Amino acid sequence: MTRLSIKKIIAEDIIDTDATVKGWIRSVRNSKKFSFIVLNDGSSQNNLQIIVDEVLPNYAEVAALLSGSAVSITGRLVKGGGKIPQIEMQGKVVEIIGKTDESYPLQKKATSLEFLREQAHLRIRTNTFGAIMRVRHHMAMATHKFFSDKGFFYLNSPIISGVDAEGAGEMFTISTLSSDITKAPKTKDGKLDFSRDYFGKETFLAVTGQLEGECYAMGLGSIYTFGPTFRSENSNTTRHLSEFWMIEPEVAFADLDEIAELATDYIKYLISYALEHASNELEFLYNREDATVDKNHMETLKHVRDSKFIRVTYTEALEILAKVDPAVKKFEYPTTWGSELQTEHERYLAEVHFKMPVIVTDYPKEFKAFYMKLNPDGKTVRAMDILVPGIGEIIGGSQREDSLEKLEKRMDEMGMDKEPLWWYLDLRRYGSVPHAGFGLGFERALMYVTGMGNIRDVIPFPRTPKNCDF
Ligand code: 4AD
Ligand code: MG
C-alpha cells in the first residue's frame, strides 16, 4: 500500500482511495464500538482523524493506545461529515510500531512552554513545536534562495577561530595555551593532550563569520554565511542564546545605504516566504492561548512587508527618547548622547514610537566594533542596527573601514593586538575596496515572524548560560 504524508493527503484532497499513513498518536477517543485516533506525522500542521471499529482484529489493543504511540494505519480516505467536511480515514489495519505508557511526559493537553523546555527531546511532538520548526526550515530555505537569486555565494566560515573578531571579549575558549607548550595538558601516557589544547594555540568558538566573510567578498564579490555562532555573554534574557545562528552577507564595493536596502529586502522576503509556505503554522501559533502577539500578527507582518522601513540616525533616535515623558515611560538607563541603546530603548522606538521596524545608523564609535568605518565627524561610525517591535535589535551591520591607516589607528586606540589580525589588515593592504555587510540573528528573526516570546523556543536545543543538558 502506498504510504502518503498527511500533508499530501490534505493538500491534494486525496479521497476514495486506500492508503497507509504512519505517525504518532495525538489522542484516542473511544465510543462503544468505535475509536477515533488523531494522528500527526510531522509533515504539516494537519492531523488526520482515523476511525477504527470493533471488527479490527486488534481493536482492544488499539483502543487502549495512549497518546505518543507510533502506528502505521492502512485504510480508506473519505470525506467526513461535519459542517466543514474534512478528510478522514476509515482504518482497516492498524500496526502498532512503538507503544508508550503513562509515564510519557506529554500526556496533558496543556503543556506549558517552560515545562516543554525541560523536554527538549520530546517537545517537537507537540503542535506548537512542529509549527515553529517547520517555519524555521522555510526561513532557512528562504535565506538561501534570497541570496542565491541575487548572485551571492554561500560561504562556510570556520567555527574554530583564533581571534576575537568582534573585539568584545565574548568568546568561549576552546584552548587557552598561547605560549607555554610545556604546561599543556598531558594524556596518561605523558603525551600532549590535544583534545584539551588546540595544538598549543589559543582558540575560541567563532562569535561571527564576518572577518572571513570579508576575505571572500574581496574575491567573490558578494557572499553570505549561515552558521552557528557562539557568545559567552552572561545574559539570561528571552532574546539571548550562547549558541545562535547568524546570516552574514558581505558585499564588495557597497556602502551603508546599499546594505540597509539589502537588509530591508531580506527581512521582507523572509516574511513573504513564511506567509507563503507556512501560513497554517503561523495561524496556529498566533492563536495559541499563551501567544505573546495578537491574533492579527499576520496582518501586521503583511503591513511590514509592504511598507518602507523608517531610517533615523542614532542622534535622532536619542532626541526622540529624550523627549519621552517619564510619566508615560520611565527608562531604567540614560538617554543622553553617547550612552548605548538598551533593549528598553530599542523596543520603545520600534514598538511605541514607529510601530514598525526601524533602521538606526551612525552610532558613536565608542561602543561599536573596531572594524566599522569612521564618519567624517570623527565621532560616529557607519553602523546600522535594525530594531523590530517586540524584540529590539535583529540586525547589526556596518560599512567597514577600508583604509589601512585608519583601521590600524582605531585598533591602537582600542588597545588591540594587531598581530593576530595581520591577515585581516592584508585586505586593506592589497586591492582594498569599500565594502559593507550585516548579521541577522536567525532566532530573533524567527521570534519576530512566529511571535514566540522566548528565544529558547525557536531553536531545537537551546544553549543558554544555565542550560546545556541536551
Ligand atoms: O550585532 P552583532 O554582534 O553583529 C555581528 O556579529 C557582526 N559581525 C555582523 C556583521 O556585520 N556581519 O550580531 C548580529 C545579530 C544581532 O543583531 C542579533 O540579532 C544576533 O546577531 N545576536 C544574537 N542572537 C541571539 N543570542 C545572542 N547572544 C546574540 N548576539 C547577537
Ligand atoms: Mg549588535
Side-chain angles (χ1 to χ4, degrees):
M1 187 56 54
T2 345
R3 180 184 162 203
L4 294 180
S5 72
I6 296 173
K7 178 184 179 169
K8 190 178 166 77
I9 292 170
I10 307 288
E12 296 176 20
D13 207 24
I14 301 175
I15 49 166
D16 301 329
T17 178
D18 284 357
T20 298
V21 288
K22 297 185 185 194
W24 294 267
I25 292 179
R26 286 281 202 262
S27 66
V28 183
R29 194 159 45 85
N30 295 318
S31 69
K32 267 185 204 152
K33 293 179 177 174
F34 302 97
S35 279
F36 299 91
I37 298 173
V38 175
L39 194 77
N40 187 280
D41 65 358
S43 60
S44 75
Q45 204 59 29
N46 295 108
N47 297 324
L48 184 70
Q49 173 160 276
I50 298 133
I51 303 120
V52 291
D53 69 25
E54 58 182 357
V55 299
L56 213 68
N58 56 348
Y59 180 75
E61 206 187 351
V62 169
L65 283 173
L66 298 174
S67 64
S69 303
V71 289
S72 168
I73 306 180
T74 300
R76 190 141 193 97
L77 292 166
V78 295
K79 256 289 151 44
K83 270 192 203 135
I84 309 161
Q86 278 171 345
I87 300 177
E88 45 187 51
M89 180 183 264
Q90 292 164 348
K92 292 177 189 167
V93 181
V94 179
E95 187 195 332
I96 299 166
I97 300 175
K99 275 193 191 178
T100 183
D101 60 32
E102 279 81 5
S103 68
Y104 181 57
L106 308 188
Q107 299 273 8
K108 287 165 273 136
K109 261 200 162 174
T111 27
S112 74
L113 294 171
E114 274 96 0
F115 170 77
L116 290 172
R117 267 170 232 143
E118 288 157 25
Q119 306 292 328
H121 59 310
L122 298 174
R123 66 179 182 170
I124 189 57
R125 302 187 201 181
T126 62
N127 292 330
T128 300
F129 282 88
I132 295 166
M133 294 307 155
R134 280 188 292 274
V135 175
R136 189 178 166 110
H137 161 82
H138 288 299
M139 282 176 51
M141 292 299 122
T143 294
H144 287 298
K145 187 153 167 45
F146 175 80
F147 286 110
S148 186
D149 284 356
K150 281 191 179 298
F152 283 60
F153 295 102
Y154 174 36
L155 175 76
N156 301 122
S157 56
I159 286 169
I160 299 178
S161 166
V163 295
D164 179 4
E166 286 294 317
E170 288 174 345
M171 308 93 72
F172 285 110
T173 304
I174 300 177
S175 53
T176 49
L177 262 194
S178 54
S179 51
D180 193 352
I181 194 100
T182 59
K183 289 190 187 142
K186 303 240 172 34
T187 57
K188 273 186 204 136
D189 51 4
K191 289 190 183 138
L192 284 175
D193 183 357
F194 288 127
S195 68
R196 290 193 289 143
D197 153 39
Y198 193 84
F199 310 102
K201 274 199 166 59
E202 189 175 27
T203 49
F204 317 97
L205 289 175
V207 290
T208 169
Q210 178 195 318
L211 306 197
E212 293 85 355
E214 284 182 55
C215 299
Y216 271 70
M218 292 301 124
L220 290 173
S222 301
I223 62 91
Y224 69 104
T225 71
F226 185 2
T229 44
F230 309 85
R231 303 258 168 121
S232 66
E233 56 193 317
N234 193 5
S235 301
N236 239 313
T237 76
T238 52
R239 50 172 230 154
H240 284 92
L241 290 166
S242 306
E243 176 182 295
F244 64 98
W245 285 63
M246 188 154 53
I247 292 103
E248 295 186 276
E250 191 69 35
V251 189
F253 307 103
D255 61 12
L256 189 73
D257 296 340
E258 287 169 67
I259 221 74
E261 198 177 312
L262 180 73
T264 307
D265 289 349
Y266 174 39
I267 293 177
K268 291 182 175 190
Y269 190 83
L270 284 177
I271 293 173
S272 308
Y273 198 94
L275 291 174
E276 188 184 337
H277 291 83
S279 59
N280 286 346
E281 278 76 4
L282 296 178
E283 198 67 56
F284 173 84
L285 293 171
Y286 305 154
N287 283 288
R288 285 167 50 251
E289 235 164 63
D290 56 349
T292 52
V293 287
D294 62 54
K295 292 186 178 29
N296 289 330
H297 196 55
M298 203 172 274
E299 293 313 311
T300 307
L301 289 181
K302 281 183 188 162
H303 174 67
V304 168
R305 178 195 63 191
D306 300 334
S307 306
K308 199 170 151 31
F309 283 15
I310 297 145
R311 201 171 138 171
V312 294
T313 63
Y314 165 86
T315 305
E316 289 163 345
L318 264 234
E319 281 162 11
I320 294 168
L321 293 170
K323 279 191 207 135
V324 176
D325 181 353
V328 178
K329 170 84 194 166
K330 193 156 168 42
F331 294 118
E332 200 181 322
Y333 292 90
T335 54
T336 40
W337 203 95
S339 54
E340 255 187 274
L341 290 189
Q342 303 294 331
T343 306
E344 55 172 356
H345 305 131
E346 295 177 347
R347 289 190 56 175
Y348 182 88
L349 288 167
E351 239 161 277
V352 185
H353 191 82
F354 292 112
K355 298 182 176 63
M356 266 285 290
V358 49
I359 308 174
V360 182
T361 64
D362 304 286
Y363 285 81
K365 64 179 177 186
E366 276 72 27
F367 52 82
K368 286 292 182 186
F370 71 96
Y371 50 69
M372 296 186 179
K373 189 173 179 65
L374 197 64
N375 275 320
D377 65 9
K379 290 195 297 194
T380 58
V381 283
R382 297 300 283 151
M384 69 158 186
D385 278 3
I386 299 190
L387 321 176
V388 300
I391 296 157
E393 177 190 342
I394 63 166
I395 280 186
S398 63
Q399 185 168 338
R400 322 306 187 188
E401 185 53 77
D402 52 305
S403 143
L404 178 65
E405 198 195 323
K406 287 187 187 156
L407 184 58
E408 286 191 319
K409 187 164 168 261
R410 184 71 190 133
M411 289 171 84
D412 287 339
E413 271 171 20
M414 293 173 81
M416 286 176 68
D417 182 4
K418 294 198 289 290
E419 199 282 323
L421 284 164
W422 64 271
W423 50 275
Y424 186 67
L425 293 168
D426 260 6
L427 302 181
R428 277 76 184 163
R429 215 167 256 131
Y430 309 120
S432 184
V433 303
H435 60 291
F438 65 81
L440 169 99
F442 191 48
E443 285 75 21
R444 292 206 187 156
L446 271 162
M447 288 175 75
Y448 183 52
V449 173
T450 61
M452 296 304 291
N454 193 317
I455 201 164
R456 291 164 181 78
D457 298 329
V458 296
I459 188 162
F461 293 93
R463 268 79 180 98
T464 52
K466 284 188 191 131
N467 188 6
C468 192
D469 296 347
F470 54 179

